[in-house]
């Protein structure tokens, strides 16, 4: 059986690493007349900076993409259109049995559309997520991808229900979250290998961690300024480490050039004189997955608008303040580990000051075998 997997953006590399590992395990375990799985990766090139792409392939041992389309950045129409053309060519050449797509990016939608028009069935990992906010590009990508998918691999019961509400019942499988598999697999390795705490002079639980990249925040000056003001205020008490997405860096360097002039730290070399005492907002370049896991696990609090980071905060037992008005990961809010703060300065500061770990963390995202179950569904 041949699968073409579409990746392009940072979170998809983390998800693909978990599933590609499960493909290898599956191939090693089969016997008799069961067929092996041949997986080919198509990298759209949506993310292309070294610290947004290559570093994940190297660190996580993701197989080299068979195709790198090198599409890069652009408007939604141009980017998605060019991906559609490039993916179609790859699919025509490879004639796979399945197209596997992850999440909700433009790469996801382009992959799903290219495949379904060629009558190649689509398997969607992380199907059924909804913010119910159609202004988000991701929401459009998810809804459209789900509606053309043959297999819908859901991480949560809420996702299954969302699909049911839209009339999608066939091909729906609750398998759990492949990002949870990734955390379980990679955290011990990350803790052995990462030197990020030492490099940045950070003490466990002595800092907060922030990430911001959603279009609704970066492309709205009022929201971005609200978040920035909040992070600055919070960092007067405890350092806030902010691995900055290139999208956010671009906007901030235009709006507040002086803020970023000295702020982006190169963490590849240890910074002398910083051990434990430095307060303030510390913008750093995006970090590798291993460094990110270690930064997340040792943070006192995480402030983020990222989908993946909200979930990782939960799995690592770190309270989270989400810098959005809604979330797809409603379970994390329901059990008290996550709270929606929007982009209002005072609200973010208030919630950050009052957050404490609430205790129990029920298994809301499966048993850590989502990638294995995904492959079993595909191979059945
Ligand atoms: C994309 C996804 C988003 C996902 C995020 C993960 C869409 C519509 N959005 O958002 O769902 O949460 O990836 O990080 O697919 N840039 C660089 N270098 C890079 C990549 C991007 O400089 O390697 C800059 C470019 O200026 C680009 C901007 O970041 O225009 C935005 O990149 P893009 O991939 O369009 O969207 P993201 O915000 O990364
Ligand atoms: N991540 C990382 N380095 C960073 C920021 C994030 O490795 O500097 C990882 C993070 O741990 C998670 C994934 O990237 O696994 C989340 O990606 P992102 O926040 O870009 O996208 P989203 O999940 O919101 O789609």
């Amino acid at each position: 059986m041949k699968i073409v997997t579409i990746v392009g953006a940072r979170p998809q590399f983390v998800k693909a690493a978990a599933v590609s590992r499960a493909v290898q395990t599956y191939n090693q375990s089969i016997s008799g007349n069961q067929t092996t799985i041949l997986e080919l990766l198509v990298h759209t090139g949506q993310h292309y900076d070294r610290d947004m792409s290559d570093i994940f392939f190297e660190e996580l041992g993701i197989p080299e993409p068979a195709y790198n389309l090198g599409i890069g950045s652009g408007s939604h129409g141009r980017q998605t259109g060019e991906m559609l053309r490039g993916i179609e060519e790859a699919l025509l050449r490879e004639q796979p049995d399945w197209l596997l797509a992850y999440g909700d990016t433009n790469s996801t939608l382009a992959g799903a559309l290219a495949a379904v028009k060629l009558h190649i069935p689509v398997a969607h990992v992380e199907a059924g997520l909804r913010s119910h906010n159609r202004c988000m590009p991701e929401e459009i990508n998810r809804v459209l991808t789900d509606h053309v998918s043959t297999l819908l691999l859901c991480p949560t019961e809420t996702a299954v229900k969302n699909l049911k509400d839209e009339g999608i019942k066939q091909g729906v499988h609750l398998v759990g979250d492949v990002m949870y598999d990734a955390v379980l697999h990679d955290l011990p390795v990350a803790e052995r290998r990462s030197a990020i705490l030492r490099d940045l002079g950070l003490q466990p639980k002595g800092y907060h961690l922030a990430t911001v990249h959603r279009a609704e925040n970066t492309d709205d000056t009022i929201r971005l300024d609200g978040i920035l003001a909040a992070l600055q205020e919070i960092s007067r008490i405890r350092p806030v480490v902010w691995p900055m997405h290139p999208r956010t860096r671009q906007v901030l360097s235009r709006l507040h050039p002086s803020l970023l002039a000295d702020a982006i730290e190169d963490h590849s070399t240890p910074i002398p004189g910083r051990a434990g005492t430095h307060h303030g907002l510390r913008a750093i370049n995006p970090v590798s997955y291993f460094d990110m896991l270690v930064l997340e696990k040792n943070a006192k609090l995480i402030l983020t608008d990222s989908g993946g980071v909200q979930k990782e905060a939960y799995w690592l037992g770190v309270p989270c303040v989400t810098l959005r008005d809604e979330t797809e990961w409603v379970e994390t809010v329901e059990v008290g580990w996550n709270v929606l703060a929007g982009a209002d300065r005072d609200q973010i500061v208030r919630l950050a000051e009052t957050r404490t770990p609430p205790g129990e963390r029920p298994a809301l995202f499966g048993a850590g075998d989502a990638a294995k179950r995904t492959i079993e569904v595909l191979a059945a």
Side-chain angles (χ1 to χ4, degrees):
M1 184 172 74
K2 193 192 249 189
I3 300 175
V4 162
T5 294
I6 305 295
V7 292
R10 176 166 68 185
Q12 291 164 336
F13 308 139
V14 175
K15 295 167 201 180
V19 175
S20 295
R21 208 165 27 239
V23 169
Q24 285 162 24
T25 309
Y26 175 86
N27 283 341
Q28 284 156 10
S29 71
I30 57 172
S31 58
N33 57 0
Q34 287 176 292
T35 53
T36 52
I37 296 173
L38 171 65
E39 186 193 30
L40 297 179
L41 258 61
V42 175
H43 187 331
T44 62
Q46 177 168 352
H47 287 176
Y48 45 85
D49 289 348
R50 184 174 155 67
D51 54 16
M52 295 294 288
S53 177
D54 284 1
I55 199 163
F56 293 88
F57 284 80
E58 290 160 16
E59 191 171 75
L60 300 175
I62 304 168
E64 182 86 9
Y67 296 81
N68 197 327
L69 304 179
I71 305 295
S73 306
S75 67
H76 286 284
R78 193 186 71 72
Q79 190 183 52
T80 313
E82 288 183 13
M83 288 176 187
L84 194 50
R85 197 165 84 177
I87 295 170
E88 184 179 65
E89 277 172 21
L91 293 178
L92 284 169
R93 185 162 325 147
E94 298 298 339
Q95 299 290 333
D97 300 293
W98 285 99
L99 178 128
L100 190 61
Y102 295 101
D104 53 19
T105 71
N106 287 349
S107 300
T108 316
L109 177 62
L113 267 184
V116 76
K117 294 279 183 90
L118 296 173
H119 306 157
I120 295 165
V122 176
H124 186 202
V125 173
E126 227 177 60
L129 274 297
R130 296 289 182 269
S131 64
H132 305 287
N133 172 1
R134 292 256 169 142
C135 291
M136 283 180 81
E138 292 86 354
E139 185 78 352
I140 306 299
N141 292 342
R142 293 177 194 127
V143 170
L144 294 177
T145 301
D146 283 340
H147 280 261
V148 298
S149 291
T150 300
L151 281 181
L152 299 106
L153 301 145
C154 296
T156 60
E157 283 170 20
T158 310
V160 174
K161 181 179 176 303
N162 288 337
L163 292 175
K164 199 169 167 202
D165 290 348
E166 291 174 22
I168 304 176
K169 293 175 203 151
Q170 293 254 310
V172 177
H173 299 262
L174 178 59
V175 293
D177 198 311
V178 298
M179 288 187 98
Y180 182 40
D181 302 17
V183 167
L184 293 179
H185 182 271
D186 291 319
L187 181 64
V189 193
E191 290 190 305
R192 277 197 307 276
R193 290 206 205 151
S194 170
I196 190 84
L197 296 186
R198 193 199 60 207
D199 288 354
L200 294 178
L202 297 168
Q203 300 298 326
K205 303 296 163 189
Y207 65 93
H208 297 325
L209 179 69
T211 78
V212 179
H213 76 275
R214 288 273 149 227
E216 74 209 45
N217 287 330
T218 60
D219 297 2
D220 180 328
T221 312
I222 294 174
R223 289 184 70 93
L224 189 59
D225 278 346
I227 291 171
L228 179 63
L231 295 181
Q232 281 172 325
E233 177 63 25
I234 293 164
S235 73
R236 285 152 56 93
I237 311 278
R238 190 172 271 113
V240 175
V241 178
W242 186 359
M244 198 171 280
H245 191 288
R247 172 186 205 111
T248 315
R249 190 209 290 213
Q250 268 185 24
V251 178
L252 283 178
S253 58
R254 197 170 16 99
L255 295 179
H256 303 284
S258 59
L259 176 87
L260 287 191
D262 307 316
I264 297 276
E265 293 176 5
D266 176 3
H267 55 80
S268 57
T269 50
I271 300 160
R274 285 276 167 83
T277 54
H278 183 77
H279 281 182
L281 190 51
R282 301 181 60 181
I284 60 174
N285 289 321
V287 296
S288 77
Y289 181 61
F290 288 170
D291 284 345
M292 188 63 180
L293 285 181
V294 168
L295 280 175
E296 288 173 331
K297 172 143 187 249
N298 291 286
K300 188 159 178 61
L301 178 77
I302 292 178
L303 302 111
T304 190
D305 62 6
S306 157
V309 175
Q310 285 175 64
K311 290 182 291 179
E312 287 165 354
Y314 180 71
W315 296 323
L316 296 168
V318 180
C320 185
V321 172
T322 290
L323 307 169
R324 290 181 52 195
D325 300 327
E326 72 275 313
T327 180
E328 299 75 25
W329 307 105
V330 288
E331 299 81 359
T332 59
V333 175
E334 283 159 10
V335 295
W337 280 87
N338 190 5
V339 66
L340 296 174
D344 176 73
R345 177 195 175 280
D346 294 347
Q347 172 86 331
I348 297 168
V349 172
R350 188 180 63 76
L351 288 171
E353 277 169 358
T354 52
R355 290 270 67 205
T356 48
E360 291 286 292
R361 277 184 296 130
L364 303 167
F365 298 90
D369 59 356
K372 176 170 174 275
R373 295 180 67 184
T374 295
I375 296 306
E376 285 168 357
V377 171
L378 274 163

